[in-house]
Amino acid sequence: MTVQHNTSMAEINLSLCQGNSTSDEYDHLVRVSDIIKQFYIWVVFVAGFPGNIISAIVVTRMCQQRLTTSLFYVGLLAMVDNIAIVLKLVENQSQNRRLAMDDRSCRGLFFLGLVFSTYANWILTTLAIERFLAVRYPFKMAVKWTVRKGLVIISCVFVLLCLIHLHLLWTVIQYEGYTCTLTLEGPSFKAWFYVGSFVYAILPAFCLSICNILIIVSVRRSANNRRTLSENHSATVATRRLDTQITTMLVIVATVFVLLSFPRCIFLVAYGYWNPTSCSIGEARKYFFDVLTTNIADSNHAVNFYLYFLAGRRFRHAYSSIIRDISSRKRSSEKIPPQTDSELRTR
């Protein structure tokens, strides 16, 4: 979902400039940008959609042993990531195939697309905050941040994001019958642009960076104390190991999120100060970097399953357990011989 600016008008201006421009670099950058916009979302879908489904199934298996707030957030993140991917794919295909769009469908698509894309980032941010507090105050957090309270917190985050993007339900209109654009202009557009950018990418990336540093420092400081307190309690040891696995997974996922979002954050900060002239090479370069950084950031919706699998031993164990169960059931069903009519009559 194009979250930061009026892409429709940018595309129209660029298409007009292509015919008037004498620069091969200009035409090449625009063509490459359009190819990325058209096809990269399918890479995200193919890699991310099945991976997120598997993540949700594996997390459900892990919750059978012990349901924690962290596991709840991981499962919720997988589902929200898939919703965001589907909405981005619908928006992409509506433009590429020039599907008929009216004001109502544009508003719904933009509103839901931006809310769920931003919500996925804030689920990860909330998970990072919860992990930091769990590492820093392990015994207090077990009582104060329960699954029920975690559900209330993440629900409040969703409502807040809906309120922030509520203006899209009347500021978005259809354009040319197949694409959507914003009616905001001037200071109003700049205000929405910077608020949306700050909430979507800049603030989550900043919070995750800080939380990662604090988690690593806290883990090093508290590891010996927690080991001493729990070494004689096997149940506590098992809980601590599970929490450590989840924390490790979170730190790696958050680090990758920051790395993939950082180019987008830099572009968003520079966007208001980068004002190339119409039909210039600078305009084509700005368009190219806009498309490139957007799609790099969208990769965050597709990579989590692979990061969980690489970083989480418990996650791999639960995944392998599911695969073994499916294989054993398949072998059992194949070993049962089909019954003949005579055998059925004797019964």
Side-chain angles (χ1 to χ4, degrees):
M1 189 65 59
T2 306
V3 299
Q4 281 78 23
H5 68 287
N6 190 334
T7 306
S8 302
M9 294 304 296
E11 289 172 348
I12 293 169
N13 292 336
L14 289 169
S15 63
L16 293 176
C17 290
Q18 279 184 279
N20 299 327
S21 175
T22 58
S23 171
D24 292 336
E25 183 184 358
Y26 187 100
D27 294 339
H28 178 70
L29 285 174
V30 173
R31 283 197 299 269
V32 171
S33 302
D34 290 339
I35 291 172
I36 294 174
K37 284 186 62 177
Q38 184 175 359
F39 294 107
Y40 190 76
I41 185 60
W42 288 106
V43 177
V44 174
F45 177 80
V46 171
F49 194 85
N52 288 327
I53 292 177
I54 296 173
S55 294
I57 295 173
V58 173
V59 169
T60 302
R61 170 64 67 91
M62 295 173 69
C63 288
Q64 293 177 357
Q65 300 176 355
R66 177 171 174 257
L67 176 60
T68 65
T69 307
S70 299
L71 287 176
F72 169 73
Y73 284 158
V74 170
L76 179 63
L77 178 60
M79 293 185 290
V80 172
D81 274 335
N82 265 0
I83 295 174
I85 289 173
V86 170
L87 290 170
K88 288 175 183 291
L89 185 61
V90 171
E91 188 263 348
N92 175 273
Q93 291 302 295
S94 69
Q95 289 192 8
N96 291 338
R97 299 178 180 274
R98 301 200 170 192
L99 303 177
M101 301 279 286
D102 56 15
D103 290 348
R104 185 176 300 178
S105 57
C106 276
R107 289 165 182 169
L109 184 60
F110 258 60
F111 176 77
L112 293 175
L114 289 179
V115 167
F116 278 99
S117 296
T118 309
Y119 189 42
N121 298 343
W122 278 99
I123 291 174
L124 184 58
T125 304
T126 306
L127 175 58
I129 296 172
E130 187 271 341
R131 281 293 85 200
F132 163 66
L133 294 176
V135 171
R136 186 68 179 84
Y137 309 103
F139 300 106
K140 292 182 179 179
M141 285 300 297
V143 177
K144 292 187 176 182
W145 201 323
T146 61
V147 175
R148 180 174 297 180
K149 292 181 180 178
L151 175 60
V152 173
I153 291 172
I154 206 65
S155 299
C156 291
V157 171
F158 181 77
V159 172
L160 180 60
L161 294 176
C162 288
L163 293 175
I164 292 174
H165 295 92
L166 195 62
H167 70 90
L168 295 173
L169 296 179
W170 63 83
T171 58
V172 174
I173 59 173
Q174 63 84 22
Y175 188 87
E176 294 290 332
Y178 70 92
T179 189
C180 307
T181 187
L182 278 169
T183 58
L184 297 176
E185 296 180 355
S188 298
F189 173 76
K190 287 185 177 180
W192 172 83
F193 168 79
Y194 283 112
V195 170
S197 302
F198 186 75
V199 174
Y200 171 76
I202 298 175
L203 186 57
F206 175 78
C207 292
L208 285 169
S209 300
I210 298 299
C211 286
N212 266 12
I213 295 173
L214 294 176
I215 287 173
I216 293 171
V217 172
S218 298
V219 166
R220 290 182 176 180
R221 288 181 178 178
S222 63
N224 292 333
N225 294 334
R226 294 180 65 183
R227 188 180 299 111
T228 301
L229 291 172
S230 60
E231 61 184 357
N232 295 323
H233 303 278
S234 58
T236 307
V237 170
T239 300
R240 178 172 55 82
R241 288 176 178 172
L242 178 60
D243 288 344
T244 302
Q245 285 287 316
I246 296 173
T247 302
T248 302
M249 288 166 50
L250 179 275
V251 169
I252 294 176
V253 170
T255 301
V256 172
F257 174 88
V258 172
L259 292 175
L260 293 177
S261 300
F262 184 74
R264 189 62 186 166
C265 294
I266 296 298
F267 178 85
L268 294 175
V269 172
Y271 181 86
Y273 303 95
W274 189 1
N275 299 307
T277 57
S278 179
C279 297
S280 65
I281 296 299
E283 184 181 51
R285 290 171 180 170
K286 184 176 182 179
Y287 177 60
F288 171 76
F289 284 114
D290 181 26
V291 172
L292 181 64
T293 57
T294 297
N295 283 275
I296 291 175
D298 286 345
S299 301
N300 281 307
H301 298 299
V303 300
N304 288 344
F305 164 73
Y306 308 99
L307 298 177
Y308 298 154
F309 192 87
L310 292 173
R313 183 173 56 84
R314 290 292 183 91
F315 186 90
R316 292 195 300 271
H317 178 75
Y319 174 81
S320 301
S321 177
I322 293 173
I323 298 300
R324 287 195 299 270
D325 289 346
I326 295 175
S327 300
S328 62
R329 291 175 185 176
K330 185 177 180 180
R331 287 195 298 268
S332 299
S333 62
E334 290 176 350
K335 289 180 179 179
I336 299 177
Q339 294 181 341
T340 61
D341 293 339
S342 58
E343 289 176 332
L344 290 174
R345 284 194 295 270
T346 56
R347 293 186 179 181

